[in-house]
Amino acid sequence: MNKLYPLLLALLLAFTASAQTEFATFQTPLTSPSHILTAVNDSGEVGLLAFEGGILYSSVLNAQGQPAAFTPALSYNESGGALGMVAQPDRFIYFEKAVGKGEAIRPYRIDKTTGSITGFEPLTPALDDKAELVQVYTFENRLYTLYFSKKTSRMQVFVIGSETEFSVKSFHVPVLKLHDRLLKGERPVNPVFIDPTQEHTLASGSHQKKIYQQGDNIYLVFDGFGAQRMNIRNLTTEVLHLNLATEEANFRALPMVKIRPIGINSFIHQRILYRFLVTPGYDLQLAAYDVETLVPRKSYAFGSDEPLTIKASPVAANKQKQHKADTAVVETTETVLKKLSIGTTTVLAEEAGPNTIRLTLGSYALTSGNASMLPTGSTLLPYLGPAALPAMIALTAVKVSAANSAESENSFHVYLQKDDFEQAAPVARQSYLEQLRAHNNRLATQKVPVSASFAYNYQGQMHYGYLNRKTRTIHITSFSK
């Protein structure tokens, strides 16, 4: 399989030029916005909100990328916090935390034609005593806020579908130390939402507390809970499943890992949970499970001295470098894992072809340097809620390409057949992460002053945008999946 590397690399380089298209470029009055929110409707129209100097600017792009003028639409209080934006056929709705009103959320209607904003009365959920906010996110053009009360052992999900309509779903979950799982630990303390419409980076996948949603099913996944305590030996992966339709909850866990791993993480894709585990002796375990039952579908295990035959690409770093000898021989598991260097063990899953899943196995670490001044998920999440993940994706790509990179990424690909999870042939198509890395490397080489990056998906294409601070122009590029 390693003989395919030179051919695949050549194909990928040729493919890069055709895989991305300049979608829109337009002038703005913006100079240094703190962030930009986006939402896209079924017609391809995009609502944009930019936050700068206490003023919220709004604009709407049509399906061809032509914008209405950015309009200073509203003063905003940064202490309130943007919660997200959703798209409707005839309007966009922006949500923010209502200042001084507890857990109340204030909606604003954004006119699709003019970009003007109209405020509505705050929506206030009836919450349990001492309920704490777990996370806020948008999914299928609804806003979801998750709360947990340690006093009542209940989770409540506040679902907002419009400016005036909402519902509250309640779940009794008497799981020991669930409060600690949800709201304690290393930064980011709260679980992050993994949006299925977004493509993901090693940074977004590195979190060990994640929230997924598929239809009416919410999955909260915890990898290695208790690992921060040195006396904990047995660790595993746990899944809390909330069914919004029936208001039933289930908590399941994989068997305990008897030896304390140095790396454990998972990722859900199309109702399959993929778990990547590295032991202190540099053994590697990779397994696929049904997310509803945690019944194993397929597993791979490689000892440290065994050849890592499922590895289907060179170990690549965030500077688009590959390690020497990677194209020449099939290396031992220990040799490959040592190339992943420092950081959190990470796994990502995505479609690579009609019947092929591509897994990215790697490591991610936030180190030091000037680029650490740029915001990342841990600083964005408390303030942006659902806006954080697209911003994390885009900003991470910028940081990875910065001259003084504050992040370390190393990874390689594994290809599996979708039906039986047997090893599949590599697919000569760049992942979104690889395309975005190359794009931002070019921006860094050209010394483009990038600010306020954002990303959104429309009809199978990821769109990545940023503000050029020098020219005051917003540039949006589309990437093919």
Side-chain angles (χ1 to χ4, degrees):
M1 183 168 289
N2 288 270
K3 295 179 180 179
L4 292 173
Y5 289 166
L7 174 61
L8 284 173
L9 290 172
L11 289 172
L12 292 177
L13 289 172
F15 181 77
T16 303
S18 61
Q20 63 187 58
T21 305
E22 187 76 16
F23 177 69
T25 301
F26 53 93
Q27 291 290 135
T28 78
L30 306 172
T31 56
S32 56
S34 58
H35 52 279
I36 295 176
L37 295 186
T38 61
V40 57
N41 63 22
D42 292 340
S43 301
E45 297 165 315
V46 183
L48 296 97
L49 288 179
F51 298 75
E52 180 174 292
I55 302 295
L56 192 155
Y57 294 80
S58 68
S59 183
V60 177
L61 303 182
N62 64 19
Q64 290 72 46
Q66 299 168 333
F70 261 93
T71 306
L74 185 73
S75 296
Y76 74 96
N77 188 331
E78 292 190 16
S79 64
L83 299 178
M85 182 165 58
V86 299
Q88 301 294 339
D90 60 340
R91 67 197 188 281
F92 296 90
I93 307 171
Y94 160 66
F95 300 95
E96 70 176 19
K97 185 174 173 57
V99 179
K101 293 184 178 293
E103 295 301 325
I105 295 173
R106 184 183 296 277
Y108 294 87
R109 177 181 294 170
I110 303 171
D111 186 274
K112 191 174 72 171
T113 303
T114 65
S116 62
I117 296 183
T118 304
F120 285 73
E121 287 298 312
L123 305 175
T124 305
L127 297 176
D128 285 354
D129 187 27
K130 299 186 182 301
E132 297 179 67
L133 178 65
V134 174
Q135 190 50 275
V136 190
Y137 60 88
T138 56
F139 176 73
E140 294 184 346
N141 287 321
R142 288 181 173 83
L143 185 81
Y144 292 80
T145 61
L146 278 62
Y147 299 89
F148 179 71
S149 170
K150 186 177 181 180
K151 183 176 181 179
T152 64
S153 296
R154 286 210 309 174
M155 287 204 70
Q156 293 174 284
V157 182
F158 185 26
V159 185
I160 306 177
S162 72
E163 302 92 331
T164 59
E165 298 177 356
F166 67 90
S167 62
V168 178
K169 306 290 186 177
S170 297
F171 303 86
H172 183 55
V173 281
V175 176
L176 184 65
K177 295 187 177 181
L178 181 58
H179 180 268
D180 292 358
R181 288 173 173 83
L182 292 169
L183 297 166
K184 290 186 178 181
E186 298 179 1
R187 285 193 170 186
V189 173
N190 301 56
V192 300
F193 176 62
I194 303 298
D195 190 337
T197 69
Q198 297 284 343
E199 301 291 339
H200 299 286
T201 66
L202 291 173
S204 59
S206 66
H207 302 293
Q208 293 182 295
K209 296 193 287 187
K210 304 185 188 75
I211 301 173
Y212 302 82
Q213 184 162 348
Q214 297 178 355
D216 285 332
N217 297 288
I218 296 175
Y219 305 96
L220 294 95
V221 181
F222 311 95
D223 287 298
F225 170 68
Q228 67 273 17
R229 292 178 288 171
M230 296 305 295
N231 62 330
I232 296 295
R233 294 295 175 187
N234 295 336
L235 301 174
T236 191
T237 296
E238 304 160 317
V239 179
L240 174 60
H241 174 201
L242 307 177
N243 188 316
L244 296 176
T246 63
E247 295 190 56
E248 295 177 337
N250 288 293
F251 184 82
R252 294 184 174 90
L254 291 174
M256 289 289 180
V257 180
K258 295 304 180 182
I259 183 171
R260 181 185 178 93
I262 61 173
I264 180 173
N265 217 326
S266 66
F267 197 89
I268 294 176
H269 179 71
Q270 294 184 346
R271 299 188 183 277
I272 298 295
L273 184 145
Y274 298 91
R275 188 173 75 172
F276 176 32
L277 187 146
V278 179
T279 73
Y282 289 105
D283 298 332
L284 181 152
Q285 297 175 23
L286 175 66
Y289 302 89
D290 183 283
V291 72
E292 298 282 349
T293 62
L294 293 187
V295 171
R297 300 287 300 276
K298 183 69 177 180
S299 63
Y300 294 89
F302 296 88
S304 60
D305 59 347
E306 295 179 320
L308 190 59
T309 55
I310 61 169
K311 178 169 153 296
S313 72
V315 175
N318 54 334
K319 294 297 184 182
Q320 288 288 38
K321 296 178 181 178
Q322 67 187 60
H323 296 265
K324 291 182 179 179
D326 234 341
T327 60
V329 294
V330 175
E331 298 174 304
T332 66
T333 300
E334 180 177 4
T335 301
V336 173
L337 292 180
K338 283 184 176 180
K339 290 178 182 179
L340 298 186
S341 187
I342 61 172
T344 303
T345 298
T346 305
V347 55
L348 302 174
E350 62 180 331
E351 295 284 326
N355 190 40
T356 304
I357 297 295
R358 172 168 44 212
L359 302 183
T360 300
L361 307 185
S363 63
Y364 171 83
L366 180 63
T367 54
S368 61
N370 294 339
S372 63
M373 299 303 293
L374 290 169
T376 61
S378 59
T379 55
L380 287 173
L381 277 166
Y383 304 102
L384 302 191
L389 186 61
M392 285 163 57
I393 294 170
L395 287 167
T396 295
V398 174
K399 293 186 68 174
V400 166
S401 303
N404 296 310
S405 177
E407 295 182 318
S408 171
E409 290 186 331
N410 296 273
S411 62
F412 62 91
H413 292 316
V414 171
Y415 293 87
L416 302 177
Q417 297 176 25
K418 188 186 298 185
D419 52 356
D420 58 9
F421 307 101
E422 294 290 339
Q423 191 170 357
V427 176
R429 182 181 67 83
Q430 280 188 311
S431 67
Y432 170 69
L433 172 59
E434 291 165 331
Q435 294 180 57
L436 194 52
R437 278 177 177 170
H439 179 64
N440 281 291
N441 281 335
R442 286 191 292 272
L443 294 178
T445 300
Q446 298 165 7
K447 298 182 179 180
V448 177
V450 172
S451 176
S453 304
F454 57 90
Y456 64 90
N457 181 297
Y458 177 63
Q459 290 188 343
Q461 286 192 322
M462 287 302 300
H463 292 70
Y464 165 69
Y466 65 89
L467 172 72
N468 183 319
R469 295 191 305 274
K470 183 177 181 180
T471 62
R472 294 191 180 186
T473 54
I474 283 181
H475 300 260
I476 302 176
T477 301
S478 63
F479 295 87
S480 299
K481 278 194 172 185

